[in-house]
Amino acid sequence: MNKYTLVMLSVTGGIISGLAWTDWCTGLVLLFVLVPFFMIEDHLCVNRKRYSENAYFLYLLPGFVLFCIISLGWIRVVSITAAIGVILGVSFLLAFTMWLAHKIKLRTGQITGYVSFIAFWLTFESLCLNLDILSPWVNLGNGLSKDIRFIQWYEVTGAAGGSLWILISNILLTVILKGFREKKNRTFIITAIWLSVIIIPVLISFRIYHNIKQEEKGATEIILIQPNIDSYTEKFSVPFEEQLEKIIRMAESVVTENTAWILMPETIVDDPVNEDDISDNKYVGMLRRLANENPHISIVAGMVTSRPLTQKIETIAGNKKKNGGPDLFHVIYNSALQIDTGNTINVYHKSKLVAGFETQFSPAIGRITRKLLPALGGINRNYDIQEERVCFEHPSGAGKAAPIICYESVFGKHVAEYVRKGADMLFIITNDGWWKNSMGYKQHLSFASLRAIETRRPVARAANTGISCFIDIKGRISEKSGWWTSATINGTIIPESRITPYVKYGDYILNAAIIVSTLILLIVFILIPCFGKNKIFKIF
């Protein structure tokens, strides 16, 4: 292969991989689309004298850039600057991850190399789930979110199991292709192993899909409100009081005597509600009147809230601002409120924030992002967060809901924490209007199906615009609204109490990958140089 062939392999792998995140292609293509990248790697290993150790990184980069353009290019509708930064950053990290495993393979051999590919990739996905500056949006397991019949075993492994499945499949296919090319006898055995790796999880998933049953009692009626307020025009030009009046009228038109919950989108009010004086707030009062007129309902609504601080804190990006006195500052939250006829108004603060738009990491970075990124709502706020998950429980016992705000629904581990706190249903409130009519809101919706499967909890999803819908415990979407339409959806879900292995044990696959990655790096880059390869391999 010449350099042009190598580049074309990279481009092919990148394009097909990206298609898994679109409507045009099943995510199951991920089971073989990394093979071109591994073919490049194999060629460089065989011809290592012709190439430097860094050549693999350079050949990977075009493919991963194309992958990110296709899967994440929708970010451009908010900010070209942000899109370029995200695409280049993620591409670099993905290429670096595979290149590092390539270096291990050159030093220790094929088996250790392939183990490194799997361990390092899964470790990177773990970092994406746990570091605020990264995002798990393109973790491989998420690419199967449209193919729910094939991934019902996510209840055991979480989305990381899908990533592991994809990586093993691609490595085995690469070995098979290499074996046929070199006419090795064991190739048919490896082919049988690969078929087993593909078919057995699929059969298990089909069996679960057709056999799993929902609880039979406790159906809860829920109303979803999708007001369809333009995030770029109406939201910050029309008074919030008028917007809230529209939402209340929509709710009043469909509420029945059986309605238990009314679910309203994220940040229906962006005029910060002071939590220390929350009962007297005019917006809260408007929703309280709706609850008093319908005492059987509990309202969950997204609002921006604040709390006063008595000590001056340096402004990072607008979240701590002076208000109410020379020494009084406020910290700002993106919050979900539970409002009913009870004396207490429950509040949950969003804890997984969108880097750059909802959180920055230093005053300097905050000043830069305010200049480069668009001001969503007039400001790139640096919201504060809540460390612990809390659930909203209906006063009459009609369910205990997890108040998940927008981006938080991308994090399986985060959602599982609500279930361990006793949530028997998942409420997702979001405003996907920022992403306009792009792939962004569609991908965001499909990830909610993964959370339903992982936790076996029904989902009610209310979006300002985007898609409002219900999702059952199999991940099936129903009664969904259209894009860019006002809608009220009246439906029922049945609270669930079962605890899945994933909820119980968490991301154990990713934790194991971190341990394996650490051992490999320790052995290859520290122990072997100090004591020699032969001595180390005798020990292990």
Side-chain angles (χ1 to χ4, degrees):
M1 287 190 283
N2 57 37
K3 61 182 180 180
Y4 302 106
T5 304
L6 297 176
V7 170
M8 285 306 301
L9 282 172
S10 178
V11 167
T12 300
I15 291 174
I16 302 176
S17 298
L19 291 176
W21 269 259
T22 70
D23 289 340
W24 313 324
C25 185
T26 171
L28 295 173
V29 297
L30 291 171
L31 292 168
F32 61 82
V33 294
L34 298 181
V35 170
F37 297 128
F38 287 121
M39 290 175 66
I40 296 171
E41 196 274 337
D42 181 67
H43 176 77
L44 297 183
C45 285
V46 172
N47 300 278
R48 65 180 67 183
K49 292 183 179 179
R50 291 171 49 193
Y51 301 95
S52 70
E53 286 189 357
N54 299 328
Y56 189 43
F57 177 86
L58 297 176
Y59 283 118
L60 286 172
L61 206 53
F64 282 127
V65 167
L66 286 171
F67 163 67
C68 290
I69 288 174
I70 297 170
S71 59
L72 296 171
W74 51 268
I75 299 174
R76 73 188 185 283
V77 304
V78 174
S79 168
I80 292 293
T81 303
I84 292 172
V86 169
I87 288 168
L88 293 180
V90 174
S91 303
F92 179 91
L93 291 171
L94 290 173
F96 175 81
T97 299
M98 293 194 73
W99 168 80
L100 184 59
H102 169 66
K103 287 182 69 71
I104 300 295
K105 185 177 177 182
L106 289 176
R107 296 186 181 203
T108 61
Q110 179 171 279
I111 294 177
T112 310
Y114 284 142
V115 171
S116 298
F117 276 114
I118 294 172
F120 291 173
W121 190 290
L122 293 177
T123 298
F124 172 68
E125 291 197 354
S126 179
L127 294 176
C128 289
L129 284 163
N130 292 287
L131 295 182
D132 291 340
I133 199 170
L134 299 175
S135 170
W137 200 275
V138 291
N139 283 7
L140 290 177
N142 291 339
L144 301 173
S145 60
K146 304 186 299 294
D147 306 287
I148 59 171
R149 286 179 172 81
F150 295 85
I151 56 169
Q152 292 296 310
W153 40 268
Y154 273 26
E155 68 173 11
V156 176
T157 67
S163 300
L164 178 62
W165 191 39
I166 290 165
L167 291 168
I168 292 174
S169 171
N170 279 276
I171 288 172
L172 288 175
L173 270 175
T174 303
V175 174
I176 290 167
L177 291 175
K178 182 180 178 182
F180 278 122
R181 187 175 66 244
E182 297 174 358
K183 298 181 179 179
K184 292 183 177 179
N185 294 330
R186 63 177 184 173
T187 302
F188 290 101
I189 297 175
I190 298 174
T191 302
I193 293 172
W194 174 73
L195 289 173
S196 299
V197 166
I198 298 299
I199 293 172
I200 291 174
V202 170
L203 292 177
I204 291 172
S205 183
F206 284 176
R207 180 178 176 82
I208 295 173
Y209 185 84
H210 290 291
N211 291 336
I212 193 167
K213 304 296 182 184
Q214 294 186 164
E215 300 283 355
E216 296 181 355
K217 297 180 180 180
T220 301
E221 183 177 294
I222 300 173
I223 291 174
L224 310 178
I225 307 295
Q226 179 170 303
N228 195 42
I229 295 169
D230 193 312
S231 300
Y232 288 92
T233 56
E234 295 175 277
K235 187 169 181 64
F236 299 100
S237 60
V238 177
F240 291 114
E241 197 167 355
E242 291 183 21
Q243 297 180 41
L244 188 53
E245 286 174 351
K246 173 185 177 180
I247 292 169
I248 290 172
R249 287 195 300 271
M250 294 175 69
E252 289 174 333
S253 68
V254 293
V255 66
T256 73
E257 61 182 12
N258 295 320
T259 303
W261 298 88
I262 296 179
L263 195 56
M264 299 176 180
E266 176 190 23
T267 59
I268 58 172
V269 171
D270 208 318
D271 180 11
V273 175
N274 186 343
E275 292 185 27
D276 283 0
D277 194 27
I278 197 167
S279 296
D280 293 328
N281 181 270
K282 62 180 179 180
Y283 306 116
V284 173
M286 292 169 68
L287 293 176
R288 263 245 161 101
R289 285 192 289 275
L290 174 62
N292 288 331
E293 292 168 3
N294 302 275
H296 51 284
I297 66 170
S298 191
I299 301 166
V300 175
M303 295 187 183
V304 174
T305 64
S306 66
R307 278 182 176 167
L309 299 175
T310 56
Q311 184 177 0
K312 181 178 178 180
I313 297 177
E314 181 182 3
T315 296
I316 293 178
N319 68 314
K320 300 175 180 69
K321 62 180 183 179
K322 201 170 182 179
N323 186 12
D327 298 313
L328 187 60
F329 284 71
H330 282 69
V331 62
I332 310 297
Y333 303 96
N334 185 346
S335 304
L337 280 66
Q338 181 188 12
I339 300 170
D340 46 44
T341 56
N343 294 325
T344 302
I345 296 172
N346 295 316
V347 181
Y348 167 73
H349 304 134
K350 184 177 182 181
S351 302
K352 291 293 185 180
L353 304 174
V354 182
F357 293 102
E358 292 184 318
T359 183
Q360 285 85 41
F361 307 100
S362 72
I365 293 176
R367 285 191 289 270
I368 293 170
T369 55
R370 275 180 289 172
K371 292 180 180 180
L372 296 179
L373 300 181
L376 305 186
I379 191 167
N380 297 115
R381 283 200 172 104
N382 189 44
Y383 291 116
D384 213 331
I385 64 170
Q386 176 171 321
E387 296 295 338
E388 293 292 326
R389 308 289 75 73
V390 297
C391 299
F392 291 165
E393 188 167 4
H394 197 281
S396 69
K400 193 173 183 180
I404 302 164
I405 304 175
C406 191
Y407 184 55
E408 293 183 316
S409 64
V410 184
F411 296 81
K413 174 183 175 182
H414 180 86
V415 173
E417 289 177 13
Y418 288 106
V419 178
R420 288 194 290 272
K421 292 280 188 179
D424 50 27
M425 62 181 91
L426 308 180
F427 286 175
I428 298 176
I429 60 174
T430 185
N431 179 12
D432 291 340
W434 298 117
W435 316 117
K436 300 183 180 179
N437 192 10
S438 68
M439 290 305 304
Y441 79 88
K442 298 176 182 178
Q443 293 169 3
H444 192 203
L445 168 65
S446 68
F447 296 159
S449 292
L450 300 183
R451 308 291 83 85
I453 295 169
E454 289 170 342
T455 63
R456 294 303 179 195
R457 292 294 183 270
V459 178
R461 187 178 195 268
N464 167 49
T465 194
I467 300 294
S468 300
C469 64
F470 292 97
I471 304 174
D472 69 10
I473 62 172
K474 297 181 181 182
R476 296 178 299 186
I477 298 170
S478 64
E479 301 180 64
K480 67 178 183 178
S481 66
W483 164 257
W484 208 252
T485 59
S486 297
T488 55
I489 304 173
N490 193 319
T492 60
I493 61 177
I494 301 175
E496 285 283 340
S497 59
R498 72 188 83 190
I499 298 295
T500 64
Y502 176 70
V503 168
K504 187 174 182 180
Y505 299 111
D507 285 318
Y508 57 90
I509 291 177
L510 299 182
N511 296 335
I514 293 172
I515 295 172
V516 173
S517 296
T518 303
L519 288 174
I520 290 172
L521 293 173
L522 177 66
I523 292 169
V524 173
F525 293 108
I526 297 179
L527 296 183
I528 289 179
C530 291
F531 302 103
K533 183 186 295 187
N534 292 334
K535 288 185 178 180
I536 297 300
F537 283 176
K538 283 181 181 178
I539 294 173
F540 288 93

